[in-house]
């Protein structure tokens, strides 16, 4: 089948965080497998652009808008380390409540505990029909999945909100369609319940579902 549409997907995972600092963050170990990949779905070709992002508020608040403005993305999937045993598809992102410091130490918190730079609602919802996506993935055999309404009020939630706010503001001003944007929490430990390779296949399945 001839390719009619080329779509670009922004995929991110995080650097290691915590004390003591681990050597890797599983979210990036999953995402980096897709760097430069081209995924065929129907008559579309999805080109993956993968980035490791910092666990620090100010750098994220600068980097995420820069990434959005570097390319016209149709799909954005941010990944982070979540809870054991379950892949969580996050439905909501929150503007306020950020008091846990990032990797930069005790001062690494956003002013007022809020995502800066946007006059948008306190809660933004994914531009993807998350419940329907979860059902589609389960039909494909990925059973350890859940829809979540709380992305954690840490860098995952902060990143997600920033991305959704970009879609609601910058893309709208430029008369561009906001990208289909989702945050996926992967279990933090290897092979729980899927291998890194299997988790990368789930991300690919998500791309195919929303492309």
């Amino acid at each position: 089948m001839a390719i009619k549409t080329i779509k670009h997907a922004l995929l991110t995972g995080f650097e290691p965080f915590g004390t003591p600092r681990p050597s890797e963050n599983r979210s990036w170990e999953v995402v980096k497998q897709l760097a430069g990949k081209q995924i065929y779905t129907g008559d579309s070709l999805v080109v993956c652009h993968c980035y490791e992002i910092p666990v620090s508020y100010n750098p994220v608040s600068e980097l995420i808008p820069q990434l959005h403005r570097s390319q016209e993305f149709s799909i954005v999937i941010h990944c982070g380390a979540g809870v054991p045993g379950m892949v969580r598809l996050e439905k909501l992102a929150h503007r306020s409540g950020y008091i846990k410091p990032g990797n930069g130490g005790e001062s690494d918190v956003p002013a007022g505990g809020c995502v800066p730079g946007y006059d948008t609602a306190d809660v933004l919802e994914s531009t993807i029909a998350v419940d329907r996506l979860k059902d589609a993935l389960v039909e494909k055999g990925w059973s350890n999945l859940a829809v979540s309404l709380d992305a954690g009020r840490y860098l995952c939630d902060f990143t997600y909100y920033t991305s959704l706010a970009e879609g609601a503001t910058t893309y709208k001003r430029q008369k561009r369609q906001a990208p289909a944007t989702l945050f996926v929490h992967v279990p933090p430990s290897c092979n729980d319940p899927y291998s890194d390779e299997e988790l990368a296949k789930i991300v690919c399945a998500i791309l195919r579902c929303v492309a």
Side-chain angles (χ1 to χ4, degrees), residues 80-84 86 88 156 184-188:
V83 299
M86 189 66 64
R88 288 168 38 200
C156 296
V184 179
H185 268 121
V186 301

Side-chain angles (χ1 to χ4, degrees), residues 77 87-89 128-147 182 184 194 199 201-210:
I77 300 177
V87 176
R88 288 168 38 200
L89 308 177
I128 293 172
V130 179
D131 295 282
R132 198 166 17 178
L133 172 63
K134 184 247 186 182
D135 291 342
L137 294 172
V138 170
E139 286 181 5
K140 295 178 183 296
W142 304 109
S143 58
N144 294 88
L145 297 171
V147 174
L182 180 68
V184 179
Y194 302 115
L199 289 173
K201 288 180 181 178
I202 291 176
V203 175
C204 285
I206 293 171
L207 290 170
R208 289 191 173 97
C209 285
V210 303

Side-chain angles (χ1 to χ4, degrees), residues 3-123:
I3 298 299
K4 295 182 179 179
T5 306
I6 297 177
K7 299 182 177 182
H8 295 272
L10 170 62
L11 310 176
T12 71
F14 284 98
E15 69 177 359
F17 70 97
T19 305
R21 190 71 45 83
S23 61
E24 58 188 39
N25 184 316
R26 197 180 188 201
S27 65
W28 176 239
E29 296 305 305
V30 170
V31 167
K32 73 180 183 181
Q33 296 181 58
L34 302 177
K37 295 286 187 184
Q38 297 183 346
I39 299 169
Y40 295 88
T41 173
D43 60 359
S44 296
L45 173 67
V46 179
V47 180
C48 297
H49 303 257
C50 299
Y51 296 89
E52 182 182 27
I53 62 177
V55 180
S56 186
Y57 294 98
N58 283 342
V60 163
S61 67
E62 294 175 0
L63 177 60
I64 295 302
Q66 289 172 4
L67 291 176
H68 273 278
R69 295 162 192 175
S70 70
Q71 175 73 54
E72 188 167 349
F73 292 108
S74 299
I75 306 167
V76 177
I77 300 177
H78 299 294
C79 293
V83 299
M86 189 66 64
V87 176
R88 288 168 38 200
L89 308 177
E90 300 294 345
K91 198 170 186 176
L92 305 177
H94 304 86
R95 186 169 64 89
S96 60
Y98 298 98
I99 60 174
K100 182 180 177 181
N103 276 349
E106 292 302 314
S107 63
D108 187 3
V109 290
C114 294
V115 177
Y118 302 99
D119 185 19
T120 38
D122 196 52
V123 179

Side-chain angles (χ1 to χ4, degrees), residues 185-197:
H185 268 121
V186 301
S189 300
C190 188
N191 296 313
D192 173 30
Y194 302 115
S195 67
D196 290 354
E197 291 75 17

